[in-house]
Amino acid sequence: MPQNELVPTLDDTSSARRPVGLVRVTTARAIYERLHADILSLKMPPGMALQEKKIAEEFGVSRTPVREALLRLSEGGLVDIYPQSGTVVSRIPVSAIPEAVVVRKALESTTVERATEIADAGAIARLDAIITRQRMRAALGDTSGFHEEDEAFHEAITQIAGYPGIWTILKSVKVQIDRARRITLPILGRMDKVIQEHVVIRDAIAAHDAESAKSAILHHLNAVIPDVAELRLKHPDYFR
């Protein structure tokens, strides 16, 4: 395995002391994570062609770890690989979104209910800090940073509830929702609306009101569905 298979951001331990397989797998993971982030952020929009050679050159590696990363993305429904033809970023499957929302509702209703039972002042302060950062991102028009804080808010609730593993499950379930939501955030007033919904959820958790918290988070998650129908009309090339 060529020494340039290493990714510069990894630690500087000599490759001579690492198993060859570890170097290759670590590089493939780094490529996967970068492409995954770019696809979810729409930096790589639906339908965009991906060239193995170009990606390999950008990372300074052979095509082998690039292929592994693309295969993993394909398994997650984020790229379509056509033998003898090429690889493209997959279009967002509209049919998959309602089911993903159902899963989110079920799991996040559970975490928010538990959070209302055990949240202390420190937990509420954590949610407040995230909401404050969201307001700052919204004021700057920073949709990417806003989305990151949105993720942090929902992840924080699972951690406050003591169910951090649920967030790991949700991240894989909601990838198509996330792609659709990235399109909605530039819509005028959408970021402010999300903040308002988060404040209602936060207040219910602080009041230890499980029913209100569950109702608020279900309302929040329901907001994704009507957006998709409208977005499909405006961006037909992004959906299938």
Side-chain angles (χ1 to χ4, degrees):
M1 179 67 60
Q3 191 161 352
N4 66 357
E5 289 289 79
L6 288 172
V7 174
T9 55
L10 301 178
D11 65 73
D12 59 0
T13 304
S14 171
S15 62
R17 295 196 295 272
R18 301 190 201 188
V20 172
L22 177 60
V23 174
R24 177 177 57 77
V25 171
T26 301
T27 305
R29 182 180 298 115
I31 296 170
Y32 166 83
E33 290 175 354
R34 166 78 170 279
L35 295 178
H36 186 277
D38 286 349
I39 292 171
L40 261 62
S41 69
L42 299 186
K43 183 176 181 180
M44 291 181 169
M48 177 179 175
L50 301 178
Q51 300 177 12
E52 283 186 11
K53 181 179 179 182
K54 184 175 180 180
I55 296 170
E57 290 174 349
E58 180 180 353
F59 279 86
V61 299
S62 72
R63 292 192 183 191
T64 300
V66 175
R67 290 193 186 106
E68 291 186 11
L70 292 175
L71 282 171
R72 186 176 172 190
L73 289 167
S74 175
E75 291 170 356
L78 292 177
V79 303
D80 295 323
I81 300 174
Y82 301 101
Q84 310 304 321
S85 179
T87 301
V88 299
V89 177
S90 67
R91 288 175 170 77
I92 302 170
V94 174
S95 61
I97 291 178
E99 183 176 16
V101 172
V102 168
V103 175
R104 283 201 71 175
K105 285 180 181 179
L107 293 180
E108 295 203 52
S109 291
T110 298
T111 58
V112 79
E113 180 177 23
R114 179 57 177 161
T116 62
E117 296 173 357
I118 62 176
D120 56 16
I124 301 306
R126 180 179 179 183
L127 296 178
D128 286 340
I130 295 170
I131 291 171
T132 295
R133 292 197 300 270
Q134 278 195 298
R135 287 195 172 105
M136 293 173 60
R137 297 293 190 182
L140 294 170
D142 179 3
T143 58
S144 181
F146 184 91
H147 183 79
E148 290 174 6
E149 298 299 344
D150 182 73
E151 293 282 281
F153 182 84
H154 288 268
E155 181 177 13
I157 293 174
T158 65
Q159 292 174 345
I160 291 167
Y163 301 140
I166 286 181
W167 185 248
T168 301
I169 296 170
L170 283 171
K171 283 196 296 184
S172 64
V173 168
K174 67 189 188 67
V175 288
Q176 304 301 350
I177 297 176
D178 289 342
R179 296 170 76 197
R181 288 193 65 243
R182 286 298 185 109
I183 307 171
T184 69
L185 288 178
I187 295 175
L188 185 62
R190 181 56 192 156
M191 287 191 284
D192 291 337
K193 182 64 175 175
V194 169
I195 292 171
Q196 292 170 13
E197 292 166 1
H198 281 183
V199 169
V200 174
I201 296 168
R202 175 265 182 218
D203 289 348
I205 294 173
H208 303 289
D209 185 343
E211 289 306 312
S212 293
K214 288 167 63 177
S215 176
I217 206 159
L218 290 175
H219 172 76
H220 178 57
L221 296 176
N222 272 335
V224 175
I225 295 297
D227 289 339
V228 173
E230 182 178 350
L231 289 173
R232 192 175 189 181
L233 293 175
K234 293 182 177 179
H235 305 276
D237 293 340
Y238 280 13
F239 295 87
R240 62 177 170 84

